[in-house]
Amino acid sequence: MSSAAQKEISQIGGGQVGLSNFYLPEALTGTAKDIDGLFGMIVWIALVMFILVEALLVIFLIRYKRKHPDKHGKAIDGNTKAEVIWTLIPALILVFIGIYSTSMVYTIQEPPENVYEIKVTGMKWAWEFEYPNGAKSFNDLRIPEGENVLFKIYSKDVIHSFWIPEFRIKQDAVPGRETRFWVNADQLSGGENKYEKRVICAEYCGNQHSLMLADLQIMPAKEFTAWVDAELTRPKTDAQYVVQANGCTSCHTIDGGKSAGPTWKGLFGKKQIVNGQEVTVDEKYLEEAIVQPDAKTPEGYSTGMMPAFQMEPEAIKNVVEYIKSLQ
């Protein structure tokens, strides 16, 4: 493995990884560390059994190889003692693993009474996070360190799967249902504790599934409280927030792909046929398309598909500038 590849692996999740933890991402919760311990135990048991079986196979091949063409080995069909041994040993191992992991399963499924609830909503193709005071963020999950956090998970459209590798838990987001899991992020020592694009959709949900990523940041409790209070009152006019909050990318791709509406990639400056006439997509056209989408529907697309959005002028301007940047 090259040094560059080793460096890349060591930086996954913002923490150190290596052979000692089977190159898994950094474990950020006590539950994640317990799961790693279970995983490691199973790997070592399987490794020992593999080596034992292969070693016995080689020994028997050498020691009991046929030395005379007319000589046959002793048949052991119906040997009750051998069958009991090779059945009982795996059964005892499975029972041991089952007992060891049962308490862990209950711990994951039953949240403690004192939890901080965050509503998680998956949609094509973004994550919305709503905090108890009503503040919302898109593709930016922040949680307080050292506190019990319960994620209540929903979906606006199709099945998604809410997965944070550093927590070792993922849960489906199913339309019409609430699913959940809880975590308690460890007290961290300094640093930004920010993990870029570590909130992942683990269920294929459409042609932009791979772009359904969010950042995770674990903050000291006081800083988190200040952030979530400020987020409630912050004007939400930046392009990323407006685009995600209104689900624009559900119908408009940003990579040139086909969807229900025209792709935004290369759209600005493009000439389109509208009502039999050639029209150039400029700032004025885009602004009108946001507030009156059926006024100049381009050829090849249907009217009535897009709602008329009422936005602040600054929000519209920022979205137009964003579309202009997608060349």
Side-chain angles (χ1 to χ4, degrees):
M1 181 182 297
S2 67
S3 58
Q6 290 175 333
K7 182 179 180 181
E8 183 178 354
I9 289 175
S10 69
Q11 292 175 340
I12 293 174
Q16 296 298 318
V17 299
L19 186 60
S20 61
N21 68 348
F22 302 98
Y23 290 96
L24 295 171
E26 182 182 11
L28 296 179
T29 68
T31 302
K33 292 171 183 172
D34 290 342
I35 292 173
D36 284 359
L38 177 62
F39 176 77
M41 182 182 69
I42 293 173
V43 168
W44 283 115
I45 290 174
L47 184 61
V48 169
M49 295 302 295
F50 174 78
I51 293 174
L52 178 62
V53 170
E54 295 302 312
L56 289 174
L57 177 63
V58 172
I59 291 172
F60 288 176
L61 284 173
I62 296 173
R63 183 170 179 177
Y64 298 107
K65 68 178 181 180
R66 180 181 292 184
K67 297 177 181 176
H68 302 284
D70 58 345
K71 190 174 182 179
H72 296 279
K74 183 180 179 182
I76 60 171
D77 289 346
N79 189 316
T80 304
K81 184 178 180 181
E83 291 183 356
V84 168
I85 291 175
W86 69 50
T87 302
L88 192 60
I89 290 178
L92 290 175
I93 293 174
L94 291 176
V95 169
F96 171 73
I97 294 174
I99 294 174
Y100 182 85
S101 59
T102 297
S103 62
M104 193 183 306
V105 172
Y106 281 116
T107 300
I108 294 171
Q109 290 181 339
E110 298 296 331
E113 293 183 358
N114 182 23
V115 294
Y116 184 88
E117 295 184 4
I118 298 177
K119 181 181 177 183
V120 179
T121 304
M123 66 190 80
K124 293 181 178 179
W125 285 272
W127 293 105
E128 176 190 274
F129 305 104
E130 182 175 351
Y131 301 86
N133 68 347
K136 293 182 180 180
S137 65
F138 289 87
N139 294 336
D140 182 14
L141 172 61
R142 304 195 187 198
I143 63 174
E145 65 177 355
E147 293 189 17
N148 299 321
V149 177
L150 175 65
F151 297 114
K152 291 186 174 181
I153 306 164
Y154 305 87
S155 172
K156 278 188 177 178
D157 35 51
V158 298
I159 296 177
H160 303 279
S161 188
F162 180 58
W163 180 36
I164 301 175
E166 282 73 10
F167 294 165
R168 305 290 191 271
I169 300 176
K170 61 182 176 182
Q171 184 63 265
D172 282 353
V174 183
R177 286 184 55 188
E178 176 191 290
T179 56
R180 54 173 62 188
F181 72 80
W182 73 278
V183 299
N184 186 317
D186 288 347
Q187 297 282 349
L188 303 173
S189 56
E192 293 186 352
N193 301 322
K194 185 172 183 179
Y195 302 82
E196 295 183 354
K197 299 179 180 179
R198 297 307 288 166
V199 180
I200 299 169
C201 178
E203 183 77 27
Y204 181 72
C205 55
N207 58 0
Q208 296 191 63
H209 158 74
S210 61
L211 302 177
M212 194 170 166
L213 303 168
D215 296 338
L216 166 68
Q217 187 168 357
I218 302 170
M219 308 175 73
K222 288 185 179 178
E223 291 182 18
F224 173 79
T225 301
W227 173 81
V228 80
D229 289 342
E231 195 66 14
L232 181 62
T233 56
R234 181 178 68 84
K236 307 296 194 305
T237 59
D238 56 280
Q240 182 183 15
Y241 186 94
V242 174
V243 169
Q244 299 297 349
N246 292 287
C248 302
T249 52
S250 296
C251 297
H252 300 281
T253 66
I254 59 174
D255 60 356
K258 293 183 178 179
S259 191
T263 180
W264 286 354
K265 183 176 178 60
L267 179 61
F268 186 80
K270 184 178 179 181
K271 297 185 183 302
Q272 298 196 117
I273 304 299
V274 177
N275 298 329
Q277 296 183 341
E278 190 176 79
V279 175
T280 300
V281 177
D282 54 14
E283 288 94 340
K284 186 177 179 181
Y285 177 92
L286 291 173
E287 291 173 1
E288 186 178 23
I290 293 172
V291 297
Q292 293 180 285
D294 291 338
K296 295 179 181 177
T297 303
E299 190 175 88
Y301 297 94
S302 303
T303 58
M305 296 288 290
M306 176 175 163
F309 291 102
Q310 301 299 319
M311 301 180 186
E312 296 181 25
E314 184 178 354
I316 295 175
K317 179 183 176 183
N318 290 338
V319 172
V320 170
E321 290 299 319
Y322 175 63
I323 295 173
K324 288 172 63 178
S325 70
L326 297 173
Q327 295 299 315

